[in-house]
Amino acid sequence: MKRLEESALLVYEKLNKIEGLNPVKPEAAMYMMVGFDPVKFPGIKGDLRFTEMLISEQSVMCLAGSCFEYPNFFRLVLTVPQPLLIEACSRMEEFCSKHLQAAP
């Protein structure tokens, strides 16, 4: 349980620094919901498209939030080894920096 808590905190802190993402810190869960601001990603229409692109461009496996009635969110599993979580966070940062459109 302690390793899962450490992984959740690690991912939360890394994703919280990425502009356009809003992770929700889990409490006793093996997954994390991460919101994204559709205004900052105008070229991506909806969470299903966001997750499809994240999977195809960065090989970060996630589920669209609309599967859980959470539009503009995606779900990450936290039970993989920490080095893989760190790599996934780096890939999400790269993805977001590529697709983020700053406000004028």
Side-chain angles (χ1 to χ4, degrees):
M1 187 70 152
K2 183 167 176 61
R3 192 181 76 101
L4 186 58
E5 290 174 8
E6 290 170 358
S7 294
L9 184 59
L10 172 78
V11 172
Y12 176 82
E13 289 175 350
K14 288 191 173 293
L15 296 184
N16 202 38
K17 294 176 183 175
I18 300 173
E19 186 175 358
L21 295 186
N22 182 29
V24 178
K25 193 182 295 186
E27 294 185 29
M30 295 185 293
Y31 59 86
M32 176 180 290
M33 297 302 290
V34 182
F36 69 93
D37 185 347
V39 173
K40 295 187 177 187
F41 300 98
I44 304 175
K45 302 298 180 202
D47 57 277
L48 183 58
R49 185 67 184 136
F50 191 96
T51 56
E52 287 173 342
M53 291 173 67
L54 186 55
I55 292 167
S56 67
E57 292 180 23
Q58 295 292 335
S59 298
V60 174
M61 301 307 294
C62 53
L63 290 170
S66 57
C67 295
F68 310 99
E69 297 185 19
Y70 270 76
N72 300 323
F73 278 80
F74 59 94
R75 187 176 92 164
L76 297 173
V77 174
L78 301 171
T79 56
V80 298
Q82 284 189 4
L84 293 177
L85 290 173
I86 292 168
E87 176 67 24
C89 289
S90 295
R91 292 179 183 200
M92 285 184 274
E93 182 175 24
E94 183 178 324
F95 176 85
C96 289
S97 66
K98 176 182 175 184
H99 294 286
L100 185 73
Q101 185 173 358

